[in-house]
Amino acid sequence: MSPYDSDPADRLVTAAADGEDQAVEAALRPKLLDEFIGQERVREQLSLVLQAARKRGTAPDHVLLSGPPGLGKTTLSMIIAAELNAPIRITSGPAIQHAGDLAAILSSLTEGEVLFLDEIHRMSRPAEEMLYMAMEDFRVDVIVGKGPGATAIPLELPPFTLVGATTRAGLLPPPLRDRFGFTGHMEFYAPAELKRVVHRSAALLDVEIDPAGAAEIAGRSRGTPRIANRLLRRVRDFAQVRHDGVVTPEIAAQALDVYEVDARGLDRLDRAVLDALLRLFGGGPVGLSTLAVAVGEEAETVEEVAEPFLVREGLLARTPRGRIATAAAWRHLGLTPPVQTAPVQTTRGAVPAQPDLFQGGEG
């Protein structure tokens, strides 16, 4: 087995929610827009939509929330229902594989109810086509019978608000995307915002933490509140078992070092990719499949799990010739990049040096 082997699902810094995350998030979720931290532009726009709907006494426009996982799309959907004082029905795209599944959900909605559809881009095409009419005309046609004798029975629906969430907005077909009256894109959080998230969660979890300790956790949370809350729980465990329970920056750093999350939020898989790229291939360029073999992972795991954060941090670049490490990657691992080849003087003049592969440009 490769020393780099790891299960992406077990990563402490993954933005996907496991069972423990879902249970804890239910207790930590803010209930109103005023309590929601971060996403200032989306909060302001959404507040206007909801206030206007309440003044008119009608259901607000359908809402589409897009962005990476762990940023609060589900939380915002619940806040929308709370602000409207309406019930909420929660389901997901993968759970709706047939038009009949969607028809059963839509036909049971009450007036003004909020329907939250997570990972909406993974819904089946027949259900998606039924949703067009439901969103626009509050009506669906239920097909009864099969073959030539099949008939369509129109079913009127009460006004409702659909809140769709997606991590891949580009996969939504334009006809579906155009039926949303409001689209909000969730951005990664700044460290100062994550520090406020950590403080709030620590208070709810009855964890004593000082400002510098919260800042230490926030700085390693990859801009994602879900990861910040998960790291806080692991630091809490460390502080309670090996110290007096108070989270200081030193204790937070020690705890996260135990869990192999470094000062920039990189975990063992991230560092394994960089280490292989730098030590085995001199910083690249190297093909994705070759790099994946070197770290003992599937190419899809490297491309979809490790690379997005490394690229966003400016540690790795994707080029037509393959993956290359930037100068920041060498510095982060404490290594010295190879010396750039100097121009060679010939009778025809100087031959330019090889391009600098460590500036992160597209080669």
Side-chain angles (χ1 to χ4, degrees):
M1 179 180 293
S2 166
Y4 301 130
D5 283 348
S6 63
D7 183 355
D10 293 336
R11 301 177 76 208
L12 193 61
V13 292
T14 180
D18 58 18
E20 182 186 7
D21 289 327
Q22 292 171 354
V24 174
E25 284 176 4
L28 299 181
R29 280 194 176 106
K31 303 298 188 290
L32 299 172
L33 271 178
D34 290 341
E35 302 172 1
F36 191 88
I37 297 172
Q39 310 296 339
E40 299 293 339
R41 183 59 58 86
V42 173
R43 283 200 301 125
E44 181 182 8
Q45 295 170 345
L46 192 55
S47 176
L48 292 173
V49 171
L50 298 180
Q51 289 183 46
R54 285 199 300 266
K55 286 187 176 182
R56 291 192 303 266
T58 61
D61 288 340
H62 303 298
V63 175
L64 177 64
L65 301 173
S66 65
L71 300 185
K73 297 186 292 294
T74 301
T75 298
L76 274 182
S77 72
M78 295 182 175
I79 287 176
I80 290 172
E83 294 277 356
L84 296 173
N85 196 25
I88 184 171
R89 188 82 56 91
I90 299 176
T91 186
S92 65
I96 301 176
Q97 293 302 312
H98 307 283
D101 299 334
L102 181 62
I105 294 173
L106 294 174
S107 61
S108 62
L109 294 176
T110 58
E111 184 171 353
E113 190 166 355
V114 174
L115 173 61
F116 176 59
L117 189 51
D118 197 11
E119 294 299 301
I120 191 173
H121 63 273
R122 296 176 60 189
M123 188 168 50
S124 68
R125 182 53 59 88
E128 182 182 284
E129 294 174 351
M130 173 179 284
L131 192 58
Y132 296 162
M133 185 179 298
M135 295 174 67
E136 198 162 36
D137 302 325
F138 297 109
R139 182 174 69 89
V140 293
D141 290 334
V142 179
I143 307 299
V144 178
K146 296 182 179 179
T151 58
I153 300 176
L155 179 65
E156 299 295 327
L157 302 175
F160 68 95
T161 298
L162 174 67
V163 179
T166 178
T167 55
R168 305 182 70 179
L171 296 183
L172 286 179
L176 178 58
R177 192 165 53 243
D178 293 344
R179 282 170 168 79
F180 287 96
F182 170 76
T183 300
H185 180 72
M186 312 282 282
E187 303 285 352
F188 286 105
Y189 281 57
E193 294 173 328
L194 284 177
K195 181 179 175 182
R196 293 168 55 199
V197 170
V198 172
H199 263 299
R200 178 182 180 276
S201 298
L204 293 174
L205 293 173
D206 197 24
V207 177
E208 187 176 350
I209 186 170
D210 67 24
E216 183 70 28
I217 295 173
R220 305 189 188 208
S221 299
R222 302 165 76 115
T224 306
R226 177 176 292 154
I227 295 176
N229 287 330
R230 187 184 300 133
L231 295 185
L232 172 63
R233 299 199 304 274
R234 300 291 75 81
V235 171
R236 173 198 60 185
D237 296 344
F238 181 89
Q240 291 176 347
V241 172
R242 298 192 178 178
H243 296 276
D244 59 0
V246 179
V247 177
T248 64
E250 295 78 17
I251 290 176
Q254 292 173 25
L256 295 177
D257 287 344
V258 168
Y259 289 105
E260 299 183 289
V261 179
D262 69 19
R264 293 186 70 161
L266 276 66
D267 72 348
R268 188 161 59 95
L269 176 60
D270 299 320
R271 289 192 300 275
V273 171
L274 288 184
D275 189 74
L277 180 58
L278 300 181
R279 296 181 188 275
L280 301 182
F281 304 107
V286 62
L288 172 63
S289 58
T290 302
L291 184 59
V293 170
V295 298
E297 295 285 356
E298 297 292 334
E300 293 79 6
T301 299
V302 174
E303 184 176 26
E304 298 176 9
V305 177
E307 281 190 352
F309 181 68
L310 295 176
V311 171
R312 183 160 62 88
E313 285 291 292
L315 299 172
L316 179 146
R318 296 170 173 171
T319 75
R321 294 178 297 157
R323 274 57 176 171
I324 62 174
T326 66
W330 292 89
R331 290 194 299 268
H332 184 68
L333 294 190
L335 302 176
T336 303
V339 178
Q340 182 178 353
T341 305
V344 178
Q345 295 294 331
T346 69
T347 56
R348 296 185 179 181
V351 177
Q354 292 294 320
D356 187 355
L357 298 179
F358 311 111
Q359 297 301 316
E362 295 292 322

